[in-house]
Amino acid sequence: MATVLEMWSNLGSAMAGLMFAWAMFKQYFPPQLRRHIEAYVHKAVGYVYPFIHIKFPEFAGERLERCEAYSAIQNYLSASSTAKAKRLKAESVKDSQSLVLSMDDNEEVVDEFEGVKLRWSSCLIVSEKSPFSFYNSSNHRRFYSLTFHRSHRDLITGSYIKHVLVKGKAVAANNRQRKLFTNNPGSGWHYYKATKWSHATFKHPSTFDTLAMEPSKKREIMNDLLKFKRGKEYYERIGKAWKRGYLLYGPPGTGKSTMIAAMANFLNYDVYDLELTTVKDNSELRNLLIETSEKAIIVIEDIDCSLDLTGQRKTKKQEKEDDEEKEDPVKKLAKGGEETKGSKVTLSGLLNFIDGLWSACGGERIIVFTTNFMEKLDPALIRRGRMDKHIEMSYCCFEGFKVLARNYLGVESHPLFATVRQLLEETNMTPADVAENLMPKSDEEDEDACLEGLIKALEKAKEDARKKSEEEEEEAAAAAAAAAAKATAAGAMAEKEGQQKSSEGNQENGGSGCGKEVK
Ligand SMILES: Nc1ncnc2c1ncn2[C@@H]1O[C@H](COP(=O)(O)OP(=O)(O)OP(=O)(O)O)[C@@H](O)[C@H]1O
Ligand SMILES: [Mg+2]
């Protein structure tokens, strides 16, 4: 005990001596000489001092922007700071879902990388306010300082710093508040408000767990998305832009939009909902693309209705109608007026948007088209390489129903499931309709009532489909009978004409000479 006390008192007097010497040094040595001496002292210390410091300032550059590296380090250290540091600081960071906890000024934490220990300190320097400064607070300069032994220089400068930045960015991405963007109409861009996209916080509850779909198909899509997300190096190696196109097709209410939300939640990406009809032309489309962020899903819903992208040439009649509309404004208004005017986006513009040179800027993007009528689309638009994966969203299967029953009623099994299974095999019902039938409409409605309601609806759908097909059969039979009758009548007529002609021929041969018209 005595030795510890002795040590502290020795240290105290040594410190006091040093501070006295420093004060004398500052007072009696002119600044220029002082700088020289300081430089030599640093050099001399460098020979015996075995540690290296790296400084990461909070603000840098001419415009003093916040350094990306500083934010990444702050995020990287947040986990170890929360566990180890005694004084913490809580900040709400832009676009972050929750508060970011980091160590307070002048705190330290120790980190370990490949068996090497390193020390991170958060430092704050407060200097006098410059008389020319526009800011009225004194100058605060914050930075992180990394200290390590010089024998690990290569490891730290080579791999560790890269590791910290990658991990820190990943933490920020996980904590990021995701957004749903939609494009502003071209005419709405002003010189003072050049925003091409408006956004809201993206909060859609759909996930792959709640999506009604055949499990093997669902797994296949999830694997595909994961492979894409982790494929940065792979895409670089094969020389392909880091993006992937999905085409979702199927009848209304089969979950195409729901699937997009599930994809965004699964990948933790932003969603850009692109309304093509309000995009003025191809160059505006390109500008919109440039302004999307990384980690984005760009969606064009109902692509078949967005523009005339069928790639088919207009018929003469359509061309004539269009010319008439141009000349007659009344006709144009009757056809939908202002709305139909505008977008000059062409098929080739859209193809360039998907896989032209500009589409490779930024990377990590998914493009999704949805349509109810796949056959209406130009094959060039949906060929593999542009729309890499075609996903059919179809009517509800029994596995899909089980997901919906679990979501909507909280039941995993029920005696009525067998009947539902049978009926789903015999008739088509969209997941949207199944979901609507499963949803309790009042507090009194329990799972039995909802399942019975669904069974009734399925039976009705089956009956309707049967009647419809009977009607169609009858119509087809009637059409066939009418066609047959027409053919018989035409045959009879032709036979009659033939007979008349031959009798006229006979008369001519008989020398009558009067060419009588046959009616
Ligand atoms: N596969 C599904 N899984 C879970 N819920 C679904 C599914 N399909 C539809 N639904 C439910 O039905 C509603 C409508 O579905 P959604 O909007 O995704 O259909 P859609 O295929 O995009 O239709 P449209 O072609 O008309 O745009 C959703 O809000 C969701 O509640
Ligand atoms: Mg939809």
Side-chain angles (χ1 to χ4, degrees), residues 301-347:
E301 289 254 35
D302 299 318
I303 180 88
D304 52 297
C305 313
S306 295
L307 295 171
D308 182 18
L309 294 170
T310 52
Q312 285 153 9
R313 299 187 117 261
K314 285 183 179 170
T315 59
K316 283 261 174 303
K317 191 171 161 236
Q318 280 169 315
E319 272 175 14
K320 199 172 153 227
E321 271 176 15
D322 285 357
D323 289 345
E324 276 172 8
E325 266 175 45
K326 265 182 217 154
E327 279 155 26
D328 184 356
V330 180
K331 244 187 186 177
K332 190 175 182 177
L333 277 176
K335 240 193 141 180
E338 288 296 293
E339 278 179 20
T340 53
K341 125 187 162 196
S343 186
K344 285 193 204 136
V345 174
T346 60
L347 179 64

Side-chain angles (χ1 to χ4, degrees), residues 335-402:
K335 240 193 141 180
E338 288 296 293
E339 278 179 20
T340 53
K341 125 187 162 196
S343 186
K344 285 193 204 136
V345 174
T346 60
L347 179 64
S348 88
L350 189 62
L351 299 185
N352 267 326
F353 174 81
I354 306 166
D355 68 354
L357 287 177
W358 287 103
S359 71
C361 301
E364 208 173 346
R365 292 210 192 91
I366 285 186
I367 298 176
V368 184
F369 288 172
T370 72
T371 180
N372 296 138
F373 306 100
M374 164 113 132
E375 62 289 350
K376 276 198 193 173
L377 300 177
D378 189 287
L381 190 62
I382 55 172
R383 71 147 166 80
R384 305 291 153 141
R386 282 208 177 91
M387 290 291 113
D388 304 279
K389 203 162 170 56
H390 297 182
I391 302 171
E392 184 181 7
M393 303 296 291
S394 59
Y395 294 106
C396 194
C397 60
F398 180 63
E399 294 299 330
F401 156 76
K402 282 207 300 195

Side-chain angles (χ1 to χ4, degrees), residues 183 274-280 285 300 303 306-307 309 343 345 350:
N183 54 312
L274 180 59
E275 179 53 61
L276 263 192
T277 48
T278 61
V279 181
K280 221 167 55 210
L285 187 62
I300 304 180
I303 180 88
S306 295
L307 295 171
L309 294 170
S343 186
V345 174
L350 189 62

